[in-house]
Amino acid sequence: MSTTLQKDYKERIVPALEKEFKYTTVMQVPKLKKIVINQGLGAATQDKKLIETAINELTAITGQKAVATLSKKDISNFKLRKKMPVGVMVTLRRDRMYEFLERLIRVALPRIRDFKGIEGKLDGRGNYTLGITEQIIFPEINIDAINKLMGMNITFVTSANTDEEGYALLKEFGLPFKNAKN
């Protein structure tokens, strides 16, 4: 089962990037390896139900079971013990990754109030992290059932060698970057 973005990558994006960066072989063209969605929940030390709620929401959004991330050490100031759940994450690859990316671009991002595009700053290795402040932009979330607004980080991991190549790849996929480049 291939999504329209997957087909679009093979038929339109690969030739466009090959032409732009003058690659000698198709294997040099950067591709999207995975998308990691992460929610840090510091308040989970006080409220245990928060982790359960976050896991259910992230599972609904991505279509894949979310897992709790555990703390690595004790921090007494934050009332934190080693191996306490402090966040939730999901790693999407292949079909689910493309399905999520398509829903993010076509449905979720346009629902953000006063949306003017996303920042175009990559990490130096061709990867990009997008911060979202509210989970309610996803249609899978029932707004009436929400008791706490939670943000999340969405990281796009590419096989690009430079930020320029990663930026070009994500722009071709349709991520709505602001006009300023890096």
Side-chain angles (χ1 to χ4, degrees):
M1 174 183 98
S2 81
T3 61
T4 51
L5 270 182
Q6 229 167 341
K7 214 163 71 184
D8 194 35
Y9 173 75
K10 288 179 183 140
E11 294 169 4
R12 183 185 63 81
I13 297 173
V14 169
L17 290 174
E18 261 184 308
K19 190 175 167 191
E20 185 180 340
F21 292 101
K22 296 176 179 46
Y23 295 119
T24 51
T25 167
V26 180
M27 298 304 285
Q28 289 177 308
V29 177
K31 57 179 165 274
L32 195 56
K33 287 184 179 172
K34 63 184 176 181
I35 296 177
V36 181
I37 299 106
N38 176 39
Q39 270 186 326
L41 303 165
T45 54
Q46 274 75 37
D47 187 3
K48 301 285 181 250
K49 287 193 193 91
L50 213 55
I51 293 284
E52 250 173 67
T53 309
I55 286 176
N56 293 337
E57 285 178 359
L58 219 50
T59 301
I61 290 170
T62 59
Q64 183 173 310
K65 182 91 169 96
V67 294
T69 52
L70 306 176
S71 63
K72 289 183 170 67
K73 56 186 175 184
D74 298 339
I75 303 173
S76 62
N77 289 352
F78 299 132
K79 294 185 178 75
L80 190 63
R81 298 280 156 256
K82 193 174 185 173
K83 295 201 170 132
M84 270 178 92
V86 289
V88 208
M89 71 171 287
V90 174
T91 302
L92 302 172
R93 299 178 203 277
R94 299 183 199 85
D95 290 346
R96 282 209 178 112
M97 171 185 73
Y98 285 110
E99 282 168 28
F100 175 77
L101 180 61
E102 198 160 348
R103 277 185 296 139
L104 179 74
I105 294 167
R106 292 193 176 43
V107 181
L109 288 178
R111 292 177 69 168
I112 297 176
R113 259 180 275 123
D114 305 328
F115 186 66
K116 292 176 179 67
I118 55 179
E119 284 298 320
K121 190 100 176 81
L122 281 78
D123 71 349
R125 293 184 203 87
N127 304 319
Y128 178 70
T129 300
L130 165 68
I132 290 179
T133 52
E134 300 173 337
Q135 81 274 37
I136 56 174
I137 65 166
F138 292 98
E140 295 86 358
I141 300 294
N142 180 4
I143 296 175
D144 302 330
I146 297 295
N147 52 8
K148 187 176 191 316
L149 287 176
M150 295 183 283
M152 62 184 74
N153 289 332
I154 302 172
T155 304
F156 301 92
V157 180
T158 68
S159 63
N161 296 321
T162 64
D163 278 355
E164 223 171 284
E165 294 172 62
Y167 182 85
L169 172 69
L170 294 172
K171 193 148 182 64
E172 287 291 331
F173 268 124
L175 278 178
F177 287 107
K178 289 179 183 166
N179 291 340
K181 182 143 193 274
N182 288 3

